[in-house]
Amino acid sequence: FKVFIKNIKIIMTNIFLLGSSSGTGKYINENYMNFIKNSKLYKFSSKKNKSFFLDLNSFTIPKRINFNKECIFISLAPIWLFVPYLEFLLEKKIINKKYILAIITTSSTSVITKKYTWNKYDKNLYQKLNNSEQKLILLKNKYGINVSLVRPTLIYDDIGNNSDKNINILFKIIKRVYLLPVPSNTGLRQPIHVSQLGQVIIKISKKYIEN
């Protein structure tokens, strides 16, 4: 008997990670390979000398990046900066919609909790979040792309050598004055660690690639 083995072409998925210098971005960078196979991560940051520098306000195109290949966009950048940039890439046909496996972007629960606020700052924040989310939905419908919108609430960062300032200040206060803050019974704004948010995003990415 002769056994014929058909060559199987492995499709590599490019993962474009915007906001890679954030705590969640660092976690995703350090752990994605453990869960997402056959992929290559490109890290973008608004901080210079950090991976690929990308200023979303400038609408520039990073050099040496091939957008016309199966890809997933993960954006941890402010959604009001990311969505116009995504629209720019699609409208100018810098990237073909058929190559976009999915768009995964973070927003905020403030789009719900601050909807009826009287505070001017919070009101402006709500408007920016809401307008960006609605625009993203329009792009999703127009181009037929998959979109996952993640709305975390309070995010705290204590990973590696990076320590969350608010949490550590709270620890110091507890040590000195022996007071123990107790969370509200409503549980409406439970903080989430950067690693937990990273795990959620990695899991969503994996599902898009596998399915």
Side-chain angles (χ1 to χ4, degrees):
F1 295 95
K2 291 184 178 180
V3 179
F4 296 93
I5 300 176
K6 185 178 180 180
N7 291 329
I8 300 175
K9 185 178 181 182
I10 298 175
I11 299 177
M12 293 291 292
T13 302
N14 287 340
I15 300 177
F16 300 127
L17 176 62
L18 285 71
S20 62
S21 57
S22 66
T24 304
K26 291 175 182 176
Y27 177 86
I28 293 173
N29 177 48
E30 293 171 2
N31 294 276
Y32 88 99
M33 277 298 293
N34 296 328
F35 303 95
I36 306 175
K37 308 301 181 183
N38 304 324
S39 61
K40 183 175 181 180
L41 184 74
Y42 290 90
K43 299 179 292 181
F44 298 93
S45 174
S46 59
K47 295 182 179 179
K48 293 184 177 180
N49 302 322
K50 294 285 186 180
S51 306
F52 287 99
F53 172 71
L54 178 61
D55 180 8
L56 294 176
N57 286 311
S58 67
F59 295 101
T60 55
I61 308 168
K63 296 179 180 179
R64 307 189 307 278
I65 296 295
N66 180 15
F67 280 123
N68 289 317
K69 187 178 179 182
E70 183 177 277
C71 64
I72 290 178
F73 279 88
I74 299 175
S75 175
L76 306 172
I79 189 172
W80 55 86
L81 296 180
F82 170 66
V83 171
Y85 186 78
L86 174 65
E87 183 180 23
F88 160 74
L89 294 178
L90 290 168
E91 293 290 334
K92 297 296 182 181
K93 297 182 179 179
I94 297 168
I95 183 170
N96 192 317
K97 64 180 181 180
K98 71 178 183 180
Y99 293 113
I100 301 178
L101 200 58
I103 303 291
I104 305 169
T105 182
T106 52
S107 181
S108 171
T109 53
S110 294
V111 77
I112 299 172
T113 60
K114 301 185 185 302
K115 185 174 182 178
Y116 301 108
T117 183
W118 291 93
N119 181 281
K120 186 176 180 180
Y121 174 84
D122 289 342
K123 189 178 292 186
N124 289 335
L125 176 61
Y126 162 76
Q127 289 292 343
K128 288 197 294 185
L129 291 169
N130 185 60
N131 291 343
S132 299
E133 288 190 6
Q134 295 304 314
K135 184 66 177 179
L136 184 61
I137 292 171
L138 290 174
L139 292 175
K140 165 185 165 57
N141 294 333
K142 180 178 180 180
Y143 291 98
I145 52 181
N146 297 313
V147 171
S148 285
L149 186 65
V150 183
R151 290 175 175 167
T153 179
L154 305 172
I155 306 171
Y156 66 100
D157 176 3
D158 203 356
I159 183 170
N161 296 322
N162 298 321
S163 297
D164 187 278
K165 294 180 180 178
N166 295 325
I167 296 294
N168 283 279
I169 289 173
L170 189 59
F171 285 159
K172 291 178 181 178
I173 293 174
I174 293 173
K175 287 180 180 180
R176 292 183 179 181
V177 299
Y178 300 103
L179 292 177
L180 180 63
V182 179
S184 168
N185 288 329
T186 59
L188 294 178
R189 289 176 64 79
Q190 293 295 332
I192 182 172
H193 190 265
V194 290
S195 63
Q196 294 172 311
L197 180 58
Q199 289 167 16
V200 169
I201 293 173
I202 288 174
K203 186 174 182 179
I204 295 172
S205 304
K206 184 180 179 181
K207 284 190 174 183
Y208 276 125
I209 292 175
E210 290 181 346
N211 298 328

